[in-house]
Coordinates of all heavy atoms in Angstrom, one line a residue:
M1 N 43.2 72.3 18.2 CA 43.2 71.1 18.9 C 42.4 70.0 18.2 O 41.3 70.3 17.8 CB 42.6 71.4 20.3 CG 42.5 70.2 21.1 SD 42.0 70.8 22.8 CE 41.8 69.3 23.6
V2 N 43.0 68.9 18.0 CA 42.3 67.8 17.3 C 41.7 66.9 18.3 O 42.3 66.5 19.2 CB 43.3 67.0 16.4 CG1 42.6 65.8 15.8 CG2 43.9 67.9 15.4
S3 N 40.4 66.6 18.1 CA 39.7 65.8 19.1 C 40.0 64.3 18.8 O 40.4 64.0 17.7 CB 38.2 66.0 19.1 OG 37.7 65.5 17.9
S4 N 39.9 63.5 19.8 CA 40.1 62.1 19.6 C 39.0 61.5 18.7 O 39.2 60.5 18.1 CB 40.2 61.3 20.9 OG 39.0 61.5 21.6
R5 N 37.9 62.2 18.7 CA 36.8 61.8 17.9 C 37.1 61.8 16.4 O 36.8 60.8 15.7 CB 35.6 62.7 18.2 CG 34.4 62.4 17.3 CD 33.5 61.4 18.0 NE 32.3 61.2 17.2 CZ 31.7 60.1 17.2 NH1 32.0 59.1 18.0 NH2 30.6 59.9 16.4
S6 N 37.8 62.8 15.9 CA 38.2 62.8 14.5 C 39.2 61.8 14.1 O 39.1 61.2 13.0 CB 38.7 64.2 14.1 OG 40.0 64.4 14.5
T7 N 40.1 61.4 15.0 CA 41.0 60.3 14.8 C 40.3 59.0 14.6 O 40.5 58.2 13.7 CB 42.0 60.2 15.9 OG1 42.7 61.5 16.1 CG2 43.1 59.2 15.6
V8 N 39.3 58.8 15.5 CA 38.5 57.6 15.4 C 37.7 57.5 14.1 O 37.6 56.5 13.4 CB 37.5 57.4 16.6 CG1 36.6 56.3 16.5 CG2 38.3 57.3 17.9
D9 N 37.1 58.7 13.7 CA 36.4 58.8 12.5 C 37.3 58.5 11.3 O 36.9 57.8 10.4 CB 35.7 60.1 12.3 CG 34.5 60.3 13.3 OD1 34.0 59.3 13.8 OD2 34.1 61.5 13.5
D10 N 38.5 59.0 11.3 CA 39.4 58.7 10.2 C 39.8 57.2 10.1 O 39.8 56.7 9.0 CB 40.7 59.5 10.4 CG 40.5 61.0 10.2 OD1 39.5 61.4 9.6 OD2 41.3 61.8 10.7
E11 N 40.0 56.6 11.3 CA 40.3 55.2 11.3 C 39.1 54.4 10.8 O 39.3 53.4 10.0 CB 40.7 54.7 12.7 CG 42.0 55.3 13.2 CD 42.3 54.9 14.6 OE1 41.5 54.1 15.2 OE2 43.2 55.5 15.2
I12 N 37.9 54.7 11.2 CA 36.7 54.0 10.7 C 36.6 54.2 9.2 O 36.3 53.3 8.5 CB 35.5 54.5 11.5 CG1 35.6 54.0 12.9 CG2 34.2 53.9 10.8 CD1 34.5 54.6 13.8
A13 N 36.8 55.4 8.8 CA 36.7 55.7 7.3 C 37.7 54.9 6.5 O 37.4 54.3 5.5 CB 36.8 57.2 7.0
G14 N 38.9 54.8 7.1 CA 39.9 54.0 6.4 C 39.6 52.5 6.4 O 39.8 51.8 5.4
F15 N 39.0 52.1 7.5 CA 38.6 50.7 7.6 C 37.5 50.4 6.6 O 37.5 49.4 5.9 CB 38.1 50.4 9.0 CG 37.5 49.0 9.1 CD1 38.3 47.9 9.1 CD2 36.1 48.8 9.2 CE1 37.8 46.6 9.2 CE2 35.6 47.6 9.3 CZ 36.4 46.5 9.3
R16 N 36.6 51.4 6.5 CA 35.5 51.2 5.6 C 35.9 51.1 4.1 O 35.4 50.4 3.3 CB 34.4 52.2 5.8 CG 33.6 52.1 7.0 CD 32.5 53.0 7.1 NE 31.8 52.8 8.3 CZ 31.1 53.7 9.0 NH1 31.1 54.9 8.6 NH2 30.5 53.4 10.1
D17 N 36.9 52.0 3.8 CA 37.5 51.9 2.4 C 38.0 50.5 2.1 O 37.8 50.0 1.0 CB 38.6 53.0 2.2 CG 38.0 54.4 2.1 OD1 36.8 54.5 1.9 OD2 38.8 55.3 2.3
N18 N 38.7 50.0 3.1 CA 39.3 48.6 2.8 C 38.3 47.6 2.9 O 38.3 46.6 2.2 CB 40.4 48.4 3.9 CG 41.6 49.3 3.7 OD1 41.9 49.7 2.6 ND2 42.3 49.5 4.7
A19 N 37.3 47.7 3.8 CA 36.3 46.7 4.0 C 35.4 46.6 2.8 O 34.9 45.5 2.5 CB 35.5 47.0 5.2
T20 N 35.1 47.6 2.1 CA 34.2 47.6 1.0 C 34.9 47.3 -0.4 O 34.3 47.1 -1.4 CB 33.4 48.9 0.8 OG1 34.4 50.0 0.6 CG2 32.6 49.2 2.0
K21 N 36.2 47.2 -0.3 CA 37.0 46.8 -1.5 C 36.7 45.4 -1.8 O 36.7 44.5 -1.0 CB 38.5 47.0 -1.3 CG 39.3 46.8 -2.6 CD 40.8 46.8 -2.3 CE 41.2 48.3 -2.1 NZ 42.6 48.4 -1.9
T22 N 36.4 45.1 -3.1 CA 36.0 43.7 -3.5 C 37.1 43.2 -4.4 O 37.7 43.9 -5.2 CB 34.7 43.6 -4.2 OG1 34.7 44.5 -5.3 CG2 33.6 44.1 -3.3
N23 N 37.3 41.9 -4.2 CA 38.3 41.2 -5.1 C 37.4 40.3 -6.0 O 36.4 39.7 -5.5 CB 39.2 40.3 -4.3 CG 40.2 41.1 -3.5 OD1 40.6 42.2 -3.9 ND2 40.6 40.6 -2.4
S24 N 37.8 40.2 -7.2 CA 37.0 39.3 -8.1 C 37.3 37.9 -7.8 O 38.2 37.5 -7.1 CB 37.5 39.5 -9.6 OG 38.7 39.0 -9.8
L25 N 36.4 37.0 -8.2 CA 36.5 35.6 -8.0 C 37.8 35.1 -8.5 O 38.5 34.2 -7.9 CB 35.3 34.8 -8.6 CG 35.3 33.3 -8.4 CD1 35.3 33.0 -6.9 CD2 34.1 32.7 -9.0
V26 N 38.2 35.6 -9.7 CA 39.4 35.1 -10.3 C 40.6 35.5 -9.4 O 41.5 34.7 -9.2 CB 39.6 35.8 -11.7 CG1 41.0 35.5 -12.3 CG2 38.5 35.3 -12.6
D27 N 40.6 36.7 -8.8 CA 41.7 37.1 -7.9 C 41.7 36.2 -6.7 O 42.8 35.8 -6.3 CB 41.5 38.6 -7.5 CG 41.7 39.6 -8.6 OD1 42.4 39.2 -9.6 OD2 41.2 40.7 -8.5
R28 N 40.6 35.9 -6.2 CA 40.6 35.0 -5.0 C 41.1 33.6 -5.3 O 41.8 33.0 -4.6 CB 39.2 35.0 -4.4 CG 38.8 36.3 -3.7 CD 37.5 36.2 -3.0 NE 36.5 36.6 -3.9 CZ 35.2 36.4 -3.8 NH1 34.8 35.8 -2.7 NH2 34.3 36.7 -4.7
L29 N 40.7 33.1 -6.5 CA 41.1 31.8 -6.9 C 42.7 31.8 -7.2 O 43.3 30.8 -6.8 CB 40.4 31.3 -8.2 CG 39.0 30.9 -8.0 CD1 38.3 30.7 -9.4 CD2 38.8 29.7 -7.2
K30 N 43.2 32.8 -7.7 CA 44.6 32.9 -7.9 C 45.4 32.9 -6.6 O 46.5 32.5 -6.5 CB 45.0 34.2 -8.7 CG 44.6 34.1 -10.2 CD 45.0 35.4 -10.9 CE 44.5 35.3 -12.4 NZ 44.8 36.6 -13.1
A31 N 44.8 33.4 -5.6 CA 45.4 33.5 -4.3 C 45.5 32.2 -3.5 O 46.2 32.1 -2.5 CB 44.8 34.6 -3.4
I32 N 44.7 31.2 -4.0 CA 44.6 30.0 -3.3 C 45.9 29.2 -3.5 O 46.4 29.0 -4.6 CB 43.4 29.1 -3.7 CG1 42.1 29.8 -3.4 CG2 43.5 27.7 -3.2 CD1 40.9 29.1 -3.9
A33 N 46.5 28.7 -2.4 CA 47.8 28.0 -2.5 C 47.4 26.5 -2.5 O 46.9 26.0 -1.5 CB 48.7 28.3 -1.4
L34 N 47.7 25.8 -3.5 CA 47.4 24.3 -3.6 C 48.6 23.6 -3.1 O 49.8 24.0 -3.3 CB 47.1 23.9 -5.0 CG 45.8 24.5 -5.6 CD1 45.6 24.1 -7.0 CD2 44.6 24.1 -4.8
P35 N 48.4 22.4 -2.4 CA 49.6 21.7 -2.0 C 50.3 21.0 -3.1 O 49.7 20.7 -4.2 CB 49.0 20.6 -1.1 CG 47.6 20.5 -1.5 CD 47.2 21.8 -2.0
D36 N 51.6 20.8 -2.9 CA 52.4 20.1 -3.9 C 52.0 18.7 -3.9 O 51.9 18.0 -2.9 CB 53.9 20.3 -3.5 CG 54.8 19.6 -4.5 OD1 54.4 19.0 -5.4 OD2 56.1 19.8 -4.4
P37 N 51.7 18.1 -5.1 CA 51.3 16.7 -5.2 C 52.2 15.7 -4.5 O 51.8 14.7 -4.0 CB 51.1 16.4 -6.7 CG 50.9 17.8 -7.3 CD 51.6 18.8 -6.4
D38 N 53.5 16.0 -4.6 CA 54.5 15.2 -4.0 C 54.4 15.1 -2.5 O 54.7 14.1 -1.9 CB 56.0 15.6 -4.4 CG 56.2 15.4 -5.9 OD1 55.6 14.5 -6.5 OD2 57.0 16.1 -6.5
D39 N 54.0 16.3 -1.9 CA 53.8 16.4 -0.5 C 52.7 15.5 0.0 O 52.7 15.1 1.2 CB 53.6 17.8 0.0 CG 54.9 18.7 -0.3 OD1 56.0 18.1 -0.4 OD2 54.8 19.9 -0.3
V40 N 51.6 15.3 -0.8 CA 50.5 14.6 -0.3 C 50.4 13.2 -0.9 O 49.5 12.4 -0.5 CB 49.2 15.4 -0.7 CG1 49.1 16.7 0.0 CG2 49.0 15.6 -2.2
A41 N 51.3 12.8 -1.7 CA 51.2 11.5 -2.3 C 51.3 10.4 -1.2 O 50.6 9.4 -1.3 CB 52.3 11.3 -3.4
D42 N 52.3 10.5 -0.3 CA 52.4 9.5 0.8 C 51.1 9.4 1.6 O 50.7 8.3 2.0 CB 53.6 9.8 1.7 CG 54.9 9.6 0.9 OD1 55.0 8.9 -0.1 OD2 55.9 10.2 1.4
D43 N 50.5 10.6 1.9 CA 49.3 10.6 2.7 C 48.2 9.8 1.9 O 47.4 9.1 2.5 CB 48.9 12.0 3.0 CG 49.8 12.7 4.0 OD1 50.5 12.0 4.8 OD2 49.9 13.9 4.0
L44 N 48.1 10.1 0.6 CA 47.1 9.4 -0.2 C 47.3 7.9 -0.2 O 46.4 7.1 -0.1 CB 47.1 10.0 -1.6 CG 46.1 9.4 -2.6 CD1 44.7 9.6 -2.0 CD2 46.2 10.0 -3.9
D45 N 48.6 7.5 -0.3 CA 48.9 6.1 -0.3 C 48.5 5.4 1.0 O 47.9 4.3 1.0 CB 50.4 5.8 -0.6 CG 50.8 6.1 -2.0 OD1 49.9 6.2 -2.9 OD2 52.0 6.3 -2.2
R46 N 48.8 6.1 2.1 CA 48.4 5.6 3.4 C 46.9 5.5 3.6 O 46.3 4.6 4.1 CB 49.0 6.4 4.5 CG 50.4 6.1 4.9 CD 50.9 6.7 6.2 NE 50.8 8.2 6.2 CZ 51.7 9.0 5.7 NH1 52.8 8.5 5.2 NH2 51.6 10.3 5.8
Y47 N 46.2 6.5 3.0 CA 44.7 6.5 3.1 C 44.2 5.3 2.3 O 43.3 4.6 2.8 CB 44.1 7.8 2.5 CG 42.6 7.7 2.3 CD1 41.8 7.8 3.4 CD2 42.1 7.4 1.0 CE1 40.4 7.7 3.2 CE2 40.7 7.3 0.9 CZ 39.9 7.4 1.9 OH 38.5 7.3 1.7
V48 N 44.7 5.1 1.1 CA 44.2 4.0 0.3 C 44.5 2.6 1.0 O 43.6 1.7 1.0 CB 44.8 4.0 -1.1 CG1 44.5 2.7 -1.9 CG2 44.4 5.2 -1.9
E49 N 45.7 2.5 1.6 CA 46.0 1.2 2.3 C 45.0 1.0 3.5 O 44.5 -0.1 3.7 CB 47.4 1.3 2.8 CG 48.4 1.1 1.6 CD 49.9 1.4 2.1 OE1 50.1 1.5 3.3 OE2 50.7 1.5 1.2
T50 N 44.8 2.1 4.2 CA 43.9 2.0 5.4 C 42.5 1.7 5.0 O 41.8 0.9 5.6 CB 44.0 3.4 6.2 OG1 45.3 3.6 6.6 CG2 43.1 3.3 7.4
K51 N 42.0 2.3 3.9 CA 40.7 2.1 3.4 C 40.5 0.6 3.0 O 39.5 -0.1 3.3 CB 40.4 3.0 2.3 CG 39.0 2.8 1.6 CD 37.9 3.4 2.4 CE 36.6 3.4 1.6 NZ 35.8 2.2 1.8
T52 N 41.5 0.1 2.3 CA 41.5 -1.3 1.8 C 41.5 -2.2 3.0 O 40.7 -3.2 3.0 CB 42.7 -1.6 0.9 OG1 42.7 -0.7 -0.2 CG2 42.7 -3.0 0.5
R53 N 42.3 -2.0 4.0 CA 42.3 -2.8 5.2 C 41.0 -2.7 6.0 O 40.5 -3.8 6.4 CB 43.5 -2.3 6.1 CG 43.6 -3.1 7.4 CD 44.2 -4.5 7.1 NE 44.4 -5.2 8.3 CZ 44.0 -6.5 8.5 NH1 43.4 -7.2 7.6 NH2 44.1 -7.0 9.7
A54 N 40.4 -1.6 6.0 CA 39.1 -1.4 6.7 C 38.0 -2.2 6.0 O 37.2 -2.8 6.6 CB 38.7 0.1 6.8
D55 N 38.1 -2.2 4.7 CA 37.1 -2.9 3.9 C 37.3 -4.4 4.1 O 36.3 -5.2 4.2 CB 37.2 -2.6 2.4 CG 36.8 -1.2 2.0 OD1 36.0 -0.6 2.9 OD2 37.1 -0.7 0.9
E56 N 38.5 -4.9 4.2 CA 38.8 -6.3 4.5 C 38.3 -6.7 5.8 O 37.7 -7.7 6.0 CB 40.3 -6.6 4.4 CG 40.9 -6.5 3.0 CD 42.4 -6.5 2.9 OE1 43.0 -6.6 4.0 OE2 42.9 -6.5 1.8
L57 N 38.5 -5.8 6.8 CA 38.0 -6.1 8.2 C 36.5 -6.1 8.3 O 35.9 -7.0 8.9 CB 38.6 -5.1 9.2 CG 40.1 -5.2 9.4 CD1 40.6 -4.0 10.3 CD2 40.4 -6.5 10.1
D58 N 35.9 -5.2 7.5 CA 34.4 -5.2 7.5 C 33.9 -6.5 6.9 O 32.9 -7.0 7.4 CB 33.9 -4.0 6.7 CG 34.0 -2.7 7.4 OD1 34.1 -2.7 8.7 OD2 33.9 -1.6 6.7
A59 N 34.5 -7.0 5.9 CA 34.1 -8.3 5.3 C 34.3 -9.4 6.3 O 33.4 -10.3 6.4 CB 34.8 -8.5 4.0
K60 N 35.4 -9.4 7.0 CA 35.6 -10.5 8.0 C 34.6 -10.4 9.1 O 34.2 -11.5 9.6 CB 37.1 -10.4 8.5 CG 38.1 -10.8 7.5 CD 39.5 -10.7 8.1 CE 40.5 -11.2 7.1 NZ 41.9 -11.1 7.7
I61 N 34.3 -9.2 9.5 CA 33.3 -9.1 10.6 C 31.9 -9.6 10.2 O 31.2 -10.3 10.9 CB 33.2 -7.6 11.1 CG1 34.5 -7.2 11.8 CG2 32.0 -7.3 11.9 CD1 34.7 -5.7 12.1
A62 N 31.6 -9.2 8.9 CA 30.3 -9.7 8.4 C 30.2 -11.2 8.3 O 29.2 -11.9 8.7 CB 30.0 -9.1 7.0
E63 N 31.3 -11.8 7.9 CA 31.4 -13.3 7.8 C 31.4 -13.9 9.2 O 30.7 -14.9 9.4 CB 32.7 -13.7 7.0 CG 32.9 -15.2 6.9 CD 31.8 -15.9 6.2 OE1 31.0 -15.3 5.4 OE2 31.7 -17.2 6.3
T64 N 32.0 -13.3 10.1 CA 32.0 -13.8 11.5 C 30.6 -13.7 12.1 O 30.1 -14.7 12.7 CB 33.0 -13.0 12.4 OG1 34.3 -13.1 11.8 CG2 33.0 -13.5 13.8
D65 N 29.9 -12.6 11.9 CA 28.5 -12.5 12.3 C 27.7 -13.6 11.7 O 26.8 -14.2 12.4 CB 28.0 -11.1 12.0 CG 28.5 -10.0 12.8 OD1 29.1 -10.3 13.9 OD2 28.4 -8.8 12.5
R66 N 27.8 -13.8 10.4 CA 27.0 -14.9 9.8 C 27.3 -16.2 10.4 O 26.4 -17.0 10.6 CB 27.4 -14.9 8.3 CG 26.4 -15.8 7.4 CD 26.9 -16.0 6.0 NE 28.2 -16.7 6.0 CZ 28.3 -18.1 6.2 NH1 27.3 -18.8 6.6 NH2 29.5 -18.7 6.1
L67 N 28.6 -16.5 10.6 CA 28.9 -17.8 11.3 C 28.4 -18.0 12.7 O 27.9 -19.0 13.0 CB 30.4 -18.0 11.3 CG 31.1 -18.2 9.9 CD1 32.6 -18.2 10.0 CD2 30.6 -19.5 9.3
I68 N 28.4 -16.9 13.4 CA 27.8 -16.9 14.8 C 26.3 -17.2 14.7 O 25.8 -18.0 15.5 CB 28.1 -15.6 15.5 CG1 29.6 -15.5 15.9 CG2 27.3 -15.5 16.8 CD1 30.1 -14.1 16.4
D69 N 25.7 -16.5 13.8 CA 24.2 -16.7 13.6 C 23.9 -18.2 13.3 O 23.0 -18.8 13.9 CB 23.7 -15.8 12.5 CG 23.6 -14.4 12.9 OD1 23.8 -14.1 14.1 OD2 23.4 -13.5 12.0
E70 N 24.7 -18.7 12.4 CA 24.6 -20.1 12.0 C 24.7 -21.1 13.2 O 24.0 -22.0 13.3 CB 25.6 -20.5 10.9 CG 25.4 -21.8 10.2 CD 26.4 -22.0 9.1 OE1 26.4 -21.1 8.2 OE2 27.1 -23.0 9.1
I71 N 25.8 -20.8 14.0 CA 26.0 -21.7 15.2 C 24.8 -21.6 16.1 O 24.4 -22.6 16.7 CB 27.3 -21.3 15.8 CG1 28.5 -21.7 14.9 CG2 27.5 -21.9 17.2 CD1 29.9 -21.0 15.3
V72 N 24.3 -20.4 16.4 CA 23.2 -20.2 17.3 C 22.0 -20.9 16.8 O 21.3 -21.6 17.5 CB 23.0 -18.7 17.6 CG1 21.7 -18.5 18.3 CG2 24.2 -18.1 18.3
Y73 N 21.7 -20.8 15.5 CA 20.5 -21.4 14.9 C 20.6 -23.0 15.1 O 19.7 -23.6 15.4 CB 20.4 -21.1 13.4 CG 20.1 -19.6 13.2 CD1 20.5 -19.0 11.9 CD2 19.6 -18.8 14.1 CE1 20.3 -17.7 11.7 CE2 19.4 -17.4 13.9 CZ 19.7 -16.9 12.6 OH 19.6 -15.6 12.4
D74 N 21.9 -23.5 14.9 CA 22.1 -24.9 15.0 C 21.9 -25.3 16.5 O 21.4 -26.3 16.8 CB 23.5 -25.4 14.5 CG 23.5 -25.4 13.0 OD1 22.5 -25.4 12.4 OD2 24.7 -25.4 12.5
L75 N 22.5 -24.5 17.4 CA 22.4 -24.8 18.8 C 21.0 -24.9 19.3 O 20.7 -25.7 20.1 CB 23.2 -23.6 19.6 CG 23.2 -23.8 21.1 CD1 24.0 -25.0 21.5 CD2 23.9 -22.5 21.7
Y76 N 20.1 -24.0 18.8 CA 18.7 -24.0 19.3 C 17.9 -24.8 18.3 O 16.6 -24.8 18.5 CB 18.2 -22.5 19.4 CG 18.8 -21.8 20.6 CD1 19.9 -21.0 20.5 CD2 18.2 -22.0 21.8 CE1 20.4 -20.3 21.6 CE2 18.7 -21.4 23.0 CZ 19.8 -20.5 22.8 OH 20.3 -19.9 23.9
D77 N 18.5 -25.4 17.3 CA 17.8 -26.3 16.4 C 16.6 -25.6 15.8 O 15.4 -26.1 15.8 CB 17.3 -27.6 17.1 CG 17.0 -28.7 16.2 OD1 17.6 -28.7 15.0 OD2 16.2 -29.6 16.5
L78 N 16.8 -24.4 15.3 CA 15.7 -23.6 14.7 C 15.5 -24.1 13.2 O 16.4 -24.5 12.5 CB 16.1 -22.1 14.6 CG 16.4 -21.4 16.0 CD1 16.7 -20.0 15.7 CD2 15.1 -21.5 16.9
T79 N 14.2 -24.0 12.9 CA 13.8 -24.4 11.5 C 14.0 -23.1 10.6 O 14.2 -22.0 11.1 CB 12.3 -24.7 11.5 OG1 11.5 -23.6 11.8 CG2 12.0 -25.9 12.4
G80 N 13.9 -23.4 9.3 CA 14.0 -22.3 8.4 C 13.0 -21.1 8.6 O 13.4 -19.9 8.6
E81 N 11.8 -21.5 9.0 CA 10.7 -20.5 9.3 C 11.1 -19.7 10.6 O 10.9 -18.5 10.6 CB 9.4 -21.3 9.5 CG 8.2 -20.3 9.7 CD 6.9 -21.1 9.9 OE1 6.7 -22.1 9.1 OE2 6.1 -20.6 10.7
E82 N 11.6 -20.4 11.6 CA 12.0 -19.8 12.8 C 13.2 -18.8 12.6 O 13.2 -17.7 13.1 CB 12.3 -20.8 13.9 CG 11.1 -21.6 14.4 CD 11.5 -22.8 15.2 OE1 12.6 -23.4 15.0 OE2 10.7 -23.1 16.1
I83 N 14.1 -19.2 11.7 CA 15.3 -18.4 11.4 C 14.8 -17.1 10.7 O 15.2 -16.0 11.0 CB 16.3 -19.1 10.5 CG1 16.9 -20.2 11.4 CG2 17.3 -18.2 10.0 CD1 17.8 -21.2 10.6
E84 N 13.8 -17.2 9.8 CA 13.3 -16.0 9.1 C 12.6 -15.1 10.1 O 12.8 -13.9 10.0 CB 12.2 -16.5 8.1 CG 12.8 -17.0 6.8 CD 11.8 -17.4 5.8 OE1 10.8 -16.7 5.7 OE2 12.0 -18.4 5.1
I85 N 11.9 -15.6 11.1 CA 11.2 -14.8 12.1 C 12.3 -14.0 12.9 O 12.2 -12.8 13.1 CB 10.3 -15.6 13.0 CG1 9.2 -16.2 12.2 CG2 9.9 -14.8 14.2 CD1 8.4 -17.3 13.0
V86 N 13.4 -14.7 13.3 CA 14.4 -14.1 14.1 C 15.1 -13.0 13.3 O 15.3 -11.9 13.8 CB 15.5 -15.2 14.6 CG1 16.7 -14.5 15.2 CG2 14.8 -16.1 15.6
E87 N 15.5 -13.3 12.0 CA 16.2 -12.3 11.2 C 15.3 -11.1 10.9 O 15.8 -10.0 10.8 CB 16.7 -13.0 9.9 CG 17.8 -14.0 10.2 CD 18.4 -14.6 9.0 OE1 17.8 -14.5 7.9 OE2 19.4 -15.4 9.1
E88 N 14.0 -11.3 10.7 CA 13.1 -10.2 10.5 C 13.0 -9.3 11.8 O 13.0 -8.1 11.7 CB 11.7 -10.7 10.1 CG 11.7 -11.2 8.7 CD 10.3 -11.7 8.3 OE1 9.3 -11.5 9.1 OE2 10.2 -12.4 7.3
A89 N 13.0 -10.0 12.9 CA 12.9 -9.2 14.2 C 14.2 -8.4 14.4 O 14.2 -7.3 14.9 CB 12.7 -10.2 15.3
V90 N 15.3 -9.0 14.1 CA 16.6 -8.3 14.3 C 16.8 -7.2 13.3 O 17.4 -6.2 13.6 CB 17.8 -9.4 14.2 CG1 19.1 -8.7 14.2 CG2 17.7 -10.4 15.3
A91 N 16.3 -7.3 12.1 CA 16.4 -6.3 11.1 C 15.7 -5.0 11.4 O 16.0 -4.0 10.9 CB 16.0 -6.9 9.7
E92 N 14.6 -5.1 12.2 CA 13.8 -4.0 12.5 C 14.4 -3.0 13.4 O 15.3 -3.0 14.1 CB 12.5 -4.4 13.2 CG 11.6 -5.2 12.2 CD 10.3 -5.7 12.8 OE1 10.1 -5.5 14.0 OE2 9.5 -6.3 12.1

C-alpha cells in the first residue's frame, strides 16, 4: 500500500528539481520576444506628435500666465519693486 505521503514527497521532489534548475542569462535573453519595429512605428509617431503638441501647449500656457501677470500689474499700477516682491512671494 502506497501512502499519500510518498506521492506528495515525490511531487515536491520533482518540483524542487525543476525549481532549482537555473538558466543562464544568455538563455533568458534569447527567450525575450522583442516587438516588430513595424508594429510599434505608428505608436512611436503618435507619441512624438503628442509630445510636440504638449510642448506647444505648455509654451502657450506659460505665455498666457505671463500676460495675465502683466495685466494684473498694470491694473494695480505696481512699480518694478512691488512686482519683484510679488514674484518672489509667489515663487516660494
